[in-house]
Amino acid sequence: MTSADHIQQPERWTIRKHSRGTDADLAQPSVSQRTVERYVKGQIKKPRPDLAARLEREVRKRWQPQVRARARQKAATTGGIVIDARARLGCTAPIGSTDEDRVRHLTVALPPQHAARLFDAQEAGAGDRRLQEITAEALREVYFQDGGRRAGSLEEVRFTDIEHLEFDL
């Protein structure tokens, strides 16, 4: 799908919301400001490819961060996230009950509080190592300890040698 083929409502919304009707960034020598105004008013239904490309860039720059922020807020407060990982996982527990590291493939739904911790750490500029630690703590609580129903003496989960890691909201 090219931008010239399919321009949706967010483009008009973006231009209206952020530029009081028109956008100087869009009005270039090849596209007049009046053309942008006509598009916003709905007089032009399908913009030329160059205007369509600029509209798409502006939407991605201004509108997509808002969509992502709403999705993150929902995941951190009500929805949680799903983690799909293939990595080396191991546990440390009191003497005699250590589970050796091994490669496991897990798909686990993490509750909102764990999603919030991950998002907060990411926004604070935490590195990959810290994000891995937070993920390991979440896996310990949710997967290994099943919310406190088992493996209560588990002290640490090691989450290393990541082959695949994917988060879904």
Side-chain angles (χ1 to χ4, degrees):
M1 171 174 75
T2 65
S3 55
D5 295 334
H6 185 64
I7 300 295
Q8 293 186 0
Q9 196 61 24
E11 285 83 353
R12 288 191 203 331
W13 175 87
T14 299
I15 294 170
R16 284 186 188 124
K17 173 115 173 122
H18 294 286
S19 59
R20 295 180 211 96
T22 62
D23 194 325
D25 293 340
L26 298 174
Q28 302 286 324
S30 62
V31 179
S32 71
Q33 185 166 347
R34 183 66 186 127
T35 299
V36 174
E37 291 169 357
R38 282 190 209 110
Y39 174 72
V40 170
K41 289 180 181 178
Q43 295 170 342
I44 298 174
K45 300 294 182 190
K46 188 173 178 183
R48 294 189 334 233
D50 55 342
L51 175 58
R54 281 191 219 123
L55 288 170
E56 188 170 320
R57 273 195 309 276
E58 288 300 310
V59 167
R60 287 186 193 282
K61 184 169 78 176
R62 295 177 179 165
W63 188 67
Q64 285 299 321
Q66 294 175 15
V67 171
R68 285 188 197 107
R70 280 194 302 267
R72 290 176 86 157
Q73 179 64 28
K74 182 179 176 186
T77 56
T78 58
I81 58 175
V82 175
I83 179 175
D84 182 60
R86 180 167 169 78
R88 183 167 300 280
L89 288 152
C91 309
T92 303
I95 297 175
S97 59
T98 299
D99 186 10
E100 292 296 320
D101 292 0
R102 68 175 189 244
V103 175
R104 301 176 195 226
H105 181 219
L106 301 176
T107 302
V108 179
L110 300 179
Q113 67 266 20
H114 296 294
R117 282 189 65 206
L118 282 166
F119 293 146
D120 291 344
Q122 185 181 36
E123 286 177 16
D128 287 344
R129 186 72 164 153
R130 180 64 187 137
L131 294 173
Q132 283 178 343
E133 291 170 2
I134 293 169
T135 303
E137 292 168 10
L139 288 173
R140 181 189 70 198
E141 185 179 314
V142 175
Y143 178 76
F144 290 101
Q145 292 181 326
D146 194 17
R149 290 189 276 281
R150 60 187 170 115
S153 60
L154 191 64
E155 296 170 1
E156 176 190 21
V157 171
R158 290 177 303 282
F159 185 61
T160 59
D161 300 336
I162 298 170
E163 295 176 15
H164 167 78
L165 180 60
E166 186 175 314
F167 292 93
D168 192 17
L169 298 176

